[in-house]
Amino acid sequence: MSSGEQETKLIAILGKFIDIVSKELPDDVMKKLTELRTKEEAPLAKAIYDVMFDNLDRAKKLNRPTCQDTGVIQFFVRSGSRFPLLGKLRSILREATIAATKSAPLRLNAVEVFDEKNTGTNVGTDVPFIEWEIVDESTNVEIEVYQAGGGCSLPGRSIVLPPLAGYEGAMKFVFDTIVDWGINACPPLVVGVGIGTCSTSAAKLSKKAMLRPIGTSHPHPKAAAMEKSIEEGLNAIGLGPQGISGKNSVMAVHVEGMAHHPSVLGVGVTVGCWANRHGIIRLDEHLAYEVVSHTGVSL
Amino acid sequence: MKKVLTTPIQDEDIASLHVGDIVYLSGTLVTCRDEGHRRIVAENIMPSLPMDRIAIFHAGPIVKEVEGGWEMVSIGPTTSMRMERYEKEFLAKTGVKLVIGKGGMGTKTAQGCKESFAVHAVFPGGCAVIAAEEVEKIEGKEWPEFGMPEAFWILKVKEFGPLIISIDTEGNNLFEANKVTFHARKEEALAKTSKNIVSIGGL
Ligand code: SF4
């Protein structure tokens, strides 16, 4: 295959993948939602879960996006330094976004900054948003797509705390954010918490935490214990599906951290809604691919 | 048995509704959000469509133009709280009996529901496929200059729902009541979590 043909092929694969992610939730989210649904006893909470699942069934059958807000398209790329299309990947991801916007169809969610006009294409300055990680010597690439809705992006925030506030201060920030802002973000939520030095590093890690597959814990035992404790605490508040009150508030709480300056503790919170549309695809240098996040999906 | 409200909604149809009840709607539903509220309340301009006893939906749909009309691609509720500033006057001016959106509304709207004898209900967020399927027909639109999400789309719906009553005609407010409970529980849960975090040690 020539490099041009390869490019066209990758755009087609990724375009189809983004399309599917808007219509089918990944395995980890489905599993957790199913589990939380069975725990609910109150008729109202049960009724809401019934509608959510019915909606997912119909989205699949009718080939339509599950939620009307298909978000701003974001990519998290872990590319081998020797993946042959690395140098073209930025434009490939942009083209794939445009293709999926037409095929799905996705909502036009890119409003050009400063001019405040919708671009009409779902792409704009630095949208799709891309974060890069380069893996030395590898020839493979792993691409994660996330569709960031408005309602679920709204609670996101970060703060830099003085050292005396400590991890307790961080907990207060997380709990206040979820109770004050989580209800309109379509619970049950996935909560990502990031610990760093400045607002940027904390926010970035909180996004990484939010995207970690549900059912995994942090490898550090203290961080894992912290995740469990925050999850139990937030669930005890019982926001329930759509904030109508119920047995749980969250699908998961994930914490990520980095070494930080001794005088400060940066804390970030990123929230995902029940319709947590994220997906992971892996490709090798011949563009043979594997969809990691969704079983039984063929592109 | 499904409880179905049909437009024009009569006072006695909603008098017995309480917060937490589930109802469905058949008849005329009009999308109306930020711009529509501002025009009616702040600018004092009414649409030509008579609004007395119909329902509105805080929503911005995706509509496809087809031969002889429009087709509903996708529609879902947007955060109702954004309309809190105008909703009370809006109800008094229009005679709308049912407001549908996402999340709760505040005390001012609750007062408005009591005074104008109306209710607010939520449609579950993120369930756009079901909502679009329950729209039988797009009958027309007004104020197209607002653009697709903000225009007044006049919809004919059949058993649109489930709609969970969040403010009833007595002014009871489900989300405000929940908020009080959630805040009380938060204090307790936070104290416990903080204690756990400290006991994890070294943090
Ligand atoms: S918060 Fe999520 S499910 Fe709810 S409306 Fe926004 S994108 Fe859809």
Side-chain angles (χ1 to χ4, degrees), chain A residues 44 48 51 54-55 62 65-66 68 167-168 175-176 179-180 184 186 222 226 229 233 236-239 242-244 274, chain B residues 20 74 76 79 102-103 125-130 133 162 164 175 178 182-183 185-186 189 193 196-198 200-201 203:
Chain A
L44 216 47
I48 292 177
V51 185
D54 187 15
N55 188 72
L62 298 167
T66 54
Q68 79 284 352
Y167 281 81
E168 277 185 80
F175 277 64
D176 285 347
V179 173
D180 290 343
N184 285 334
C186 291
K222 285 183 183 173
M226 194 165 151
S229 182
I237 298 170
L239 298 183
Q242 296 294 325
I244 208 88
W274 78 266
Chain B
S74 177
T79 302
K102 180 174 108 174
C127 297
V129 185
I130 290 195
E133 290 268 283
I164 298 151
F175 279 84
N178 278 350
F182 294 154
H183 274 99
R185 287 189 199 150
K186 180 185 81 177
T193 306
N196 283 342
I197 298 288
V198 172
I200 291 170
L203 289 179

Side-chain angles (χ1 to χ4, degrees), chain A residues 1 3 5-11 13 83-85 139 141 281-290:
Chain A
M1 235 190 305
S3 133
E5 280 166 351
Q6 277 211 322
E7 235 178 286
T8 314
K9 188 173 168 196
L10 186 53
I11 291 171
I13 292 172
F83 176 65
L85 291 173
T139 53
V141 68
I281 186 170
R282 258 183 225 140
L283 301 110
D284 68 11
E285 72 263 45
H286 308 294
L287 302 186
Y289 64 82
E290 181 200 354

Side-chain angles (χ1 to χ4, degrees), chain A residues 187-266:
Chain A
L189 309 169
V190 180
V191 179
V193 179
I195 308 276
T197 294
C198 59
S199 59
T200 326
S201 53
K204 195 173 160 172
L205 283 181
S206 72
K207 185 64 167 262
K208 187 177 170 197
M210 194 276 286
L211 287 172
R212 211 171 75 204
I214 299 170
T216 59
S217 349
H218 195 287
H220 194 297
K222 285 183 183 173
M226 194 165 151
E227 287 176 347
K228 207 164 154 264
S229 182
I230 303 174
E231 181 174 340
E232 281 169 11
L234 290 177
N235 278 338
I237 298 170
L239 298 183
Q242 296 294 325
I244 208 88
S245 92
K247 291 259 185 241
N248 292 284
S249 309
V250 299
M251 287 195 269
V253 176
H254 299 151
V255 180
E256 293 287 334
M258 57 170 68
H260 64 92
H261 190 286
S263 315
V264 287
L265 195 67

Side-chain angles (χ1 to χ4, degrees), chain A residues 113-185:
Chain A
V113 69
F114 307 128
D115 299 325
E116 293 305 310
K117 284 214 178 74
N118 196 312
T119 61
T121 53
N122 228 10
V123 300
T125 305
D126 283 330
V127 166
F129 174 81
I130 309 171
E131 267 195 36
W132 301 91
E133 220 175 278
I134 304 298
V135 184
D136 286 355
E137 298 305 330
S138 159
T139 53
N140 300 342
V141 68
E142 185 177 283
I143 297 172
E144 177 156 18
V145 60
Y146 176 65
Q147 308 185 350
C152 48
S153 295
L154 199 59
R157 59 208 54 221
S158 56
I159 191 172
V160 181
L161 297 169
L164 278 180
Y167 281 81
E168 277 185 80
M171 291 309 103
K172 182 167 163 44
F173 180 67
V174 172
F175 277 64
D176 285 347
T177 302
I178 298 306
V179 173
D180 290 343
W181 295 90
I183 293 172
N184 285 334

